[in-house]
Amino acid sequence: MKISILGLGYVGAVCAACLSSRGHHIIGVDVSEAKIDIINQGRSPIVEPGLEELIREGVRDHLITATTDVQQAVLDSDLSMICVGTPSKANGDLDLTYVRTVCQQIGQALRSKDSRHTVVVRSTVLPGTLRQVVIPELEQASGKRAGSDFGVAMNPEFLRESSAIADYEQPPMTVIGELDEASGEPLVQIYQELDAPLIRRPIEIAEMIKYTCNVWHATKVAFANEIGNISKAVGIDGRDVMDVVCKDTALNISRYYMRPGFAFGGSCLPKDVRALTYRARQLDLSQPLLNALMPSNALQVQYALDRILGYGKRRIALLGLSFKSGTDDLRESPLVELAERLIGKGYELKIYDANVHYARIHGSNRDYIESRIPHLSSLLVDDMQAVIDHGEIIVLGNSEPAFQALVEHPPEGKRVFDLVGFMPSASSDSLEGVCW
C-alpha cells in the first residue's frame, strides 16, 4: 500500500520504518528540511534501537522517501497517517495547532484527488477531536464529505521509547477506531499480518483507549510507589510486596475489577482502605492516591443519586440492597447509602433483595440496618413484581440474575437505571447506565 506519514518525529519515524519493512511504500512528510535530508540519506532522525537499520533498508529498497510537500504526498498515496505532535498547553489541554494545520493541508490535496483516500490519526488526541476538529477541517478544506468521499479512522499507537520496534511488531492489541467500515478496512489490510487481537470500534472509543491506557499505567506507578513508601516505613521491602501482588492473575492483574459501574462496598475494601491510609498518616507519609480512594467512591454514589433525582419522579424501586449478589451482607453497601439518601429526600422507596429478609437477619447485619436505616423493615418487600409495579424509576443495584430481564424488556412507561452493567449497549430512552 502507498502510505503518506505526516510528521516524522518519534511515532512517525517508527511507523515509516516498520511499515516499509513489510513492503509498504512510504512517503514521509515533515516541515523540517534537516529531518527530510537525514531520512533520505538512510539515517534515523531519532535515537531508537534498530530504527536506523530499518530506515536504511527502506531507502535502499526505494520503499521510503521523505518530502516537505504535503500536496504531492497525499496525491501519491492511498492512505495518510497523521503523526504530528499534540503538546500540552499551560492549562493542561492539548495544543491541536499542528493537527489543524495538517488536516487543512490534507483537505486541500483531497480537493483535487478523484480516488478515495483514507485519513488516519495516530497522534494522541482527546475523545471528540476527530468529530469536532479533524473531520470539520478536512471537509472544509476539501469540499468533500467524510465517510462518503474519503475515509477517517483513529489508530492509537502504543510504542515505548527504546523498545518501539518490538512494540510495533508484537503489540498487545491493534485498535482501529473507524468512522465507518470502509474507513477501517485499509488499516485491517495493513495490520492483518501482526499476531495480535485486531479491535474495531467507533472513533471515540479509540481516542479514549490511548488515554485510558496511559493514565492506568501512571496510576499503577503511583500506587506501587505509595505502597512501597508505606512498606519501607514499617520495615518491609515494597518490591517483595508488589511481586507477590502481581502473581495473582485472577483478581489483582485481571479484568475482574476493571469494569465501570457503581461504588465498591462490603466488609473489607472500605475498612482496609481506611486502615492503611490511617497508618500512613501515623507514619507522616503523604499518600494522595490512596487518600483519594474513599472520596472517589463516595462521588460515585452521588453521581447515581444525581441521575435518579434528575428524572423528576418520586416512586423508586431499588432491586438489590447487599453490596453484591449472592450475599446478605449489608455492611458498607453503597446501595444502603443510596437508599438512605433517597429516604432522606422524601422519595417513596421500596426495596427487593431475595437474600435480605429483615426478620431473619441477626448480629452485625441487623445492627448495621438499625443504625443506618431504621425504617428498612417497612421498605423491604418480598414480592419483586410488587416493587417493580411501585417504581416509576427501577434501579438495578446488584447482579442478581433475575434482574437481567428488566434490561432485555424494560417495563412500559418506566425508566430503568442500571448500576451493574446488564445493559449490552449505551443508554437509550428507557435504559440508562451509571457509566455507559
Side-chain angles (χ1 to χ4, degrees), residues 1-3 15-26 54 57-58 61-64 78 168-169 189-190 193:
M1 188 178 295
K2 295 180 179 179
I3 301 169
C15 289
C18 291
L19 286 167
S20 71
S21 72
R22 292 184 174 268
H24 298 286
H25 291 262
I26 307 301
L54 290 182
E57 291 172 4
D61 297 338
H62 306 290
L63 292 174
I64 297 179
D78 308 304
Y168 185 95
E169 297 293 340
Q189 297 176 29
I190 290 173
E193 295 180 357

Side-chain angles (χ1 to χ4, degrees), residues 46-91:
I46 61 171
V47 175
E48 179 65 33
L51 182 60
E52 185 150 316
E53 290 81 356
L54 290 182
I55 292 176
R56 184 185 307 119
E57 291 172 4
V59 172
R60 180 198 65 199
D61 297 338
H62 306 290
L63 292 174
I64 297 179
T65 59
T67 179
T68 58
D69 190 342
V70 176
Q71 173 92 5
Q72 198 60 49
V74 173
L75 293 176
D76 290 344
S77 59
D78 308 304
L79 179 146
S80 293
M81 288 187 170
I82 297 175
C83 298
V84 298
T86 53
S88 291
K89 295 180 180 178
N91 64 1

Side-chain angles (χ1 to χ4, degrees), residues 53 63 73 100 151 173 180 194 201 243 303 357 374 390 400:
E53 290 81 356
L63 292 174
R100 288 182 181 275
M173 61 182 175
D180 53 20
L194 295 180
R201 292 290 189 274
D243 182 60
Y303 291 152
H357 297 278
H390 160 80
E400 191 68 33

Side-chain angles (χ1 to χ4, degrees), residues 107-124:
Q108 289 164 5
L110 292 180
R111 185 177 287 274
S112 57
K113 185 169 184 176
D114 295 328
S115 59
R116 183 178 173 86
H117 195 85
T118 301
V119 180
V120 178
V121 177
R122 291 278 275 172
S123 302
T124 301

Side-chain angles (χ1 to χ4, degrees), residues 325-326 398-406 422:
S325 63
N398 63 35
S399 56
E400 191 68 33
F403 303 158
Q404 176 78 43
L406 292 164
F422 286 120

Side-chain angles (χ1 to χ4, degrees), residues 278-295:
Y278 175 76
R279 185 61 189 277
R281 290 194 298 273
Q282 285 184 313
L283 297 166
D284 291 329
L285 293 173
S286 177
Q287 305 292 296
L289 179 62
L290 299 183
N291 288 336
L293 295 179
M294 294 308 293

